[in-house]
Amino acid sequence: MYKCFKSNFNKLLFSFFAFELCFVCFISCQNQNNSSGTQSSGSEKKQYVNVVNWNLQTFFDSQTKGNEYSDFQNASKWSKDKYLIRLSNLCQVITSLNADIYVFEELENEGILYDISNQLAGRSWNLKENWNYAAFTCDNNSCIGLGILSKFPLSDLKSHSLDIRVQGESQPSSRPILQVKVQLNESELIILANHWKSKLGGQKETEIWRDWQEFNLAQVIDNICRQNTDNQKCKLLVCGDFNRDIEDFISLDDFMDSGKIYLRGFSLQDGEKTVELYSSWVFRNGLLLGETGSYFYEDSWSRIDNFFLLDSDLLLDFSAKAEGPWADENNVPVPYKIYTGQGFSDHLPIYCRLEL
């Protein structure tokens, strides 16, 4: 039986009114312990976890509440039957990739996570092989949010949002950062899920809002590191759709060798480099990994979906998954078309394997 929890968190107020928003949904299957790939080497136990991040491209349910995108309020274009087919196709991808943890962008609400969990519930008699835990967050003014689906218990859920009032213009709707702690058998992993402002309205015009979201992420990571006794070895995974290509982050001249980027810190004017992260796209070979990115637009690839880590040694494997029906023969993602009811997403899922 699933239970839904909503947790309130204290607001953190700064000069630009950043705060933690109090809208997090937590779904858990009670009295179950999950297992992961674990190997023993003498007295040392190593644990492995597979994570997939995927922007699902406006994944709405079949209920009309009035704040959906217009096509999904049109009964001639969108229906319960189309939703159920799309839900079934998503669940097939989930079982095909069989990751331990899925991070999704552009889910309408937590009810879809219930639907996914219920459809996958009978997948295995071994409850440890099912995805029994989930989390969701969404901005009050947004019709799409962030969701996490996990085989492992989740705890310490937090949602970090921004309320910017110093730009001389109204802040557009944006998604919070969803923070959860994954409780593994032998260790813990903190996940920070992101979905930054799109370039709709112009890349230059919207860049400032992605800068603010980057700034917010830097502060969240800084706070986590301050609570960790060994900052450089903090088991932290930052992931999501950043709507910013990996080459557009702040980096040093040796980026192609190190894969390191620097998040904007506490002074956007200075461009302070306060948080150093390792990008999965530069994976131990000094080159951007392969020709395929995660998002294909105007006949070119971009790498706007990403995994970032504080400790690059945790990363064992990474790829953009293009080998299923969600990609065509050229590895290009097959977007969902509401008028045909076919397709998956205009993004490819990205995958990583971690050793904790």
Side-chain angles (χ1 to χ4, degrees), residues 14-289:
F14 309 102
S15 59
F16 54 90
F17 300 99
F19 62 91
E20 294 182 1
L21 197 63
C22 57
F23 182 45
V24 177
C25 170
F26 177 50
I27 309 169
S28 68
C29 191
Q30 302 299 304
N31 300 321
Q32 296 179 20
N33 293 318
N34 209 308
S35 63
S36 63
T38 305
Q39 296 181 3
S40 298
S41 177
S43 59
E44 180 182 359
K45 290 185 178 180
K46 296 181 179 180
Q47 193 160 24
Y48 304 88
V49 60
N50 301 318
V51 184
V52 164
N53 181 91
W54 198 9
N55 183 319
L56 296 179
Q57 187 197 343
T58 60
F59 204 107
F60 288 90
D61 65 15
S62 59
Q63 300 179 23
T64 302
K65 301 179 182 65
N67 66 335
E68 298 89 350
Y69 296 160
S70 58
D71 283 348
F72 291 88
Q73 298 182 40
N74 189 328
S76 65
K77 294 183 179 180
W78 186 239
S79 65
K80 183 177 181 179
D81 288 341
K82 284 186 175 180
Y83 168 66
L84 293 177
I85 291 172
R86 194 176 187 193
L87 178 68
S88 177
N89 289 340
L90 173 59
C91 289
Q92 289 178 21
V93 177
I94 291 173
T95 55
S96 173
L97 296 177
N98 196 26
D100 301 306
I101 301 167
Y102 289 90
V103 180
F104 296 127
E105 293 84 53
E106 296 201 11
L107 282 176
E108 181 183 8
N109 54 50
E110 68 271 18
I112 296 175
L113 288 174
Y114 278 101
D115 290 343
I116 294 172
S117 298
N118 288 335
Q119 185 150 329
L120 295 173
R123 172 179 173 270
S124 172
W125 288 105
N126 183 356
L127 295 178
K128 297 177 182 179
E129 294 299 318
N130 292 328
W131 295 271
N132 301 312
Y133 305 89
F136 178 84
T137 191
C138 182
D139 185 80
N140 288 333
N141 298 319
S142 178
C143 59
I144 51 176
L146 292 152
I148 296 177
L149 192 67
S150 173
K151 291 182 179 180
F152 305 106
L154 305 176
S155 65
D156 295 350
L157 284 82
K158 297 179 181 178
S159 184
H160 308 272
S161 283
L162 287 174
D163 183 9
I164 308 300
R165 307 182 187 183
V166 297
Q167 286 302 132
E169 60 180 293
S170 298
Q171 176 186 333
S173 176
S174 60
R175 274 72 57 177
I177 298 171
L178 175 57
Q179 176 182 338
V180 298
K181 182 180 291 184
V182 183
Q183 303 287 346
L184 305 172
N185 285 344
E186 304 297 333
S187 60
E188 297 176 339
L189 173 69
I190 297 174
I191 292 180
L192 297 176
N194 296 257
H195 188 189
W196 291 4
K197 178 71 178 70
S198 74
K199 297 176 183 177
L200 183 64
Q203 179 173 348
K204 292 183 179 179
E205 291 80 0
T206 58
E207 190 75 359
I208 185 62
W209 303 112
R210 287 184 292 278
D211 287 348
W212 277 114
Q213 287 177 293
E214 184 175 332
F215 171 73
N216 189 28
L217 176 60
Q219 173 131 16
V220 171
I221 295 175
D222 183 69
N223 288 337
I224 292 172
C225 289
R226 289 176 184 275
Q227 299 170 14
N228 192 283
T229 55
D230 186 357
N231 294 350
Q232 297 303 315
K233 296 299 181 181
C234 179
K235 295 177 181 178
L236 175 70
L237 180 67
V238 181
C239 59
D241 174 5
F242 297 88
N243 275 304
R244 175 172 283 168
D245 196 279
I246 180 57
E247 294 177 319
D248 293 330
F249 283 86
I250 297 174
S251 62
L252 299 179
D253 294 336
D254 63 348
F255 168 70
M256 298 305 290
D257 294 324
S258 67
K260 293 178 182 178
I261 60 101
Y262 298 86
L263 296 181
R264 289 166 175 81
F266 301 106
S267 173
L268 290 175
Q269 290 74 22
D270 300 332
E272 282 187 339
K273 301 168 184 177
T274 58
V275 175
E276 179 182 293
L277 294 176
Y278 175 83
S279 170
S280 56
W281 283 105
V282 182
F283 184 54
R284 298 183 183 177
N285 60 2
L287 296 171
L288 287 172
L289 188 63

